[in-house]
Amino acid sequence: MLAGLQGAGKTTLIKALMANGPGPFDKEPDLATGGGEVTWGHEVQIGYFAQDHRETITAGMIAHEWLHQFDPQASREEIRGVLGQMLFAGEEGMKPTEALSGGEAARLIFCRLMLEKPNFLIFDEPTNHLDLEAINALNFAIQKYEGTVILVTHDEDLVAETATRIWHLDNGTLTSFKGSYEEFQATMAANAK
């Protein structure tokens, strides 16, 4: 989990990490690693859920066809199955992408991640538009996920149940704490005294 106050630079740090990472992410040339170097493993496949996730979905498409572009080999039934797992019932997969609600857009991105099967997930505020049922499903999925997850969220229950390491960003300094969120909070409280 990547923790820090609002405006501490968590999203900027994530984008800097991905600036030379593997995958088809929009690179932001103005983001530098501060002279540092990021080296990704040769088999890393990143799945990214952006804080401003609506911008990652192309307008003017149907949800089903937007999703199909990420796995052109998938059959129509496979795409419908993935959409169904994320609660797109019946013809909801034929909805225009620009007509999707915030929650539907988030669920469509989760569908994309299910198709791509990345081994490294980066979630930047994934719960912002999700209802309680979807947050619980995300919590369960993260706990079962066998790859690496970097998570930025204000949902303390999600963090408490999924985090095994906390990276804390404070005044431009990144520190690492290996342990649960509860242990991290206790350490922070003890250090504040």
Side-chain angles (χ1 to χ4, degrees):
M1 194 250 173
L2 181 56
L5 296 175
Q6 189 81 17
K10 299 178 298 290
T11 298
T12 302
L13 176 61
I14 286 172
K15 288 180 178 181
L17 288 172
M18 292 186 344
N20 74 332
F25 305 106
D26 293 334
K27 308 297 185 193
E28 295 191 32
D30 60 326
L31 284 176
T33 56
E37 187 175 317
V38 177
T39 304
W40 290 90
H42 71 282
E43 292 190 20
V44 172
Q45 298 169 322
I46 300 172
Y48 178 49
F49 185 102
Q51 184 175 9
D52 51 354
H53 66 274
R54 297 275 311 178
E55 295 174 13
T56 64
I57 299 176
T58 308
M61 298 181 81
I62 301 299
H64 182 278
E65 70 182 13
W66 180 84
L67 194 55
H68 193 259
Q69 68 185 337
F70 299 104
D71 188 356
Q73 309 305 319
S75 69
R76 185 172 190 83
E77 291 76 28
E78 289 172 310
I79 299 293
R80 286 183 69 133
V82 169
L83 285 165
Q85 288 179 53
M86 291 307 301
L87 308 176
F88 286 94
E91 296 302 312
E92 288 179 350
M94 302 305 287
K95 198 172 202 179
T97 53
E98 61 272 8
L100 296 172
S101 70
E104 289 170 329
R107 289 186 285 124
L108 188 63
I109 292 170
F110 289 130
C111 289
R112 173 186 175 175
L113 295 173
M114 291 167 63
L115 284 174
E116 293 179 326
K117 297 177 181 73
N119 56 15
F120 194 109
L121 293 171
I122 300 174
F123 290 144
D124 191 358
E125 300 289 355
T127 61
N128 284 354
H129 297 282
L130 299 180
D131 60 19
L132 185 57
E133 182 180 10
I135 292 170
N136 288 336
L138 176 62
N139 183 335
F140 181 73
I142 290 173
Q143 289 181 47
K144 294 288 185 188
Y145 184 68
E146 294 181 7
T148 301
V149 179
I150 292 179
L151 173 66
V152 175
T153 184
H154 294 286
D155 188 320
E156 290 194 12
D157 290 334
L158 181 61
V159 174
E161 294 180 28
T162 62
T164 58
R165 175 175 237 151
I166 312 296
W167 294 91
H168 185 243
L169 186 58
D170 185 32
N171 292 323
T173 301
L174 186 64
T175 55
S176 172
F177 179 86
K178 193 166 187 175
S180 71
Y181 186 59
E182 183 179 337
E183 293 167 331
F184 169 74
Q185 287 180 309
T187 300
M188 293 294 287
N191 290 341
K193 291 180 181 178

